[in-house]
């Protein structure tokens, strides 16, 4: 019985550590510089991925701040990722705060796909990681 209890405690510990690593892995994978390479936007009909030749970049830092080339005059801010894999960007431009949020659809092999939560139709952006 004592062995069973010890085995149960060890197994529970592995489960807790495994869950913690999964939660951290998305945030850890997000850190780095990303370049927009494709977009999939629908205006009510079907949509397909379109190549973006001169996409903007976004650099996500460990301290939950970011830099972007998307809006030249408003290129820094903070970000957070919630438990539902929603990443929220808050851009501070003078006296105006501009929030944007996206669903993290996938992040794998240096490819990040985001879906704008502000869109009714397809509104996806695909990024390639270009630097750590």
């Amino acid at each position: 019985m004592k062995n069973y209890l010890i085995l149960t405690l060890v197994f529970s510990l592995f489960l807790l550590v495994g869950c913690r690593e999964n939660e951290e892995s998305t945030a850890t994978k997000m850190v780095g510089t990303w370049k927009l390479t494709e977009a999939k936007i629908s205006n009510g009909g079907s949509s397909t991925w379109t190549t973006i030749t001169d996409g903007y970049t976004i650099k996500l830092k460990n301290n939950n701040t970011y830099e972007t080339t998307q809006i030249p005059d408003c290129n820094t801010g903070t970000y957070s990722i919630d438990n539902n894999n929603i990443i929220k960007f808050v851009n501070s431009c003078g006296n105006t705060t501009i929030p944007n949020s996206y669903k993290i659809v996938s992040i794998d092999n240096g490819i990040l796909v985001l879906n704008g939560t502000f869109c009714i139709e397809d509104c996806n952006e695909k990024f390639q990681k270009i630097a750590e």
Side-chain angles (χ1 to χ4, degrees):
M1 183 70 167
K2 188 176 182 180
N3 288 339
Y4 178 72
L5 180 60
I6 292 171
L7 183 61
T8 301
L9 289 173
V10 170
F11 181 71
S12 297
L13 181 62
F14 282 125
L15 285 177
L16 289 173
V17 170
C19 290
R20 181 183 228 170
E21 288 175 5
N22 287 341
E23 289 173 12
E24 293 173 352
S25 68
T26 297
T28 301
K29 287 180 185 179
M30 296 290 290
V31 172
T33 303
W34 299 87
K35 182 176 177 88
L36 178 66
T37 58
E38 295 180 64
K40 184 178 179 185
I41 300 173
S42 171
N43 58 358
S46 62
S47 59
T48 58
W49 287 105
T50 302
T51 300
I52 306 295
T53 56
D54 193 21
Y56 69 90
T57 61
I58 187 161
K59 181 178 184 178
L60 302 174
K61 300 178 183 180
N62 281 327
N63 64 356
N64 288 10
T65 62
Y66 72 92
E67 298 171 5
T68 183
T69 60
Q70 185 179 21
I71 306 170
D73 295 335
C74 188
N75 58 4
T76 61
T78 61
Y79 73 94
S80 60
I81 302 170
D82 71 14
N83 292 336
N84 295 316
N85 274 345
I86 302 292
I87 185 168
K88 181 178 181 182
F89 296 99
V90 178
N91 221 344
S92 293
C93 302
N95 295 329
T96 306
T97 300
I98 305 169
N100 276 321
S101 60
Y102 298 82
K103 173 75 175 165
I104 301 168
V105 177
S106 64
I107 181 168
D108 196 28
N109 295 322
I111 302 293
L112 169 65
V113 179
L114 299 178
N115 181 35
T117 59
F118 44 83
C119 297
I120 297 170
E121 303 291 334
D122 251 351
C123 187
N124 293 305
E125 294 181 324
K126 190 181 290 185
F127 296 83
Q128 174 75 46
K129 194 169 201 175
I130 58 173
E132 289 296 323

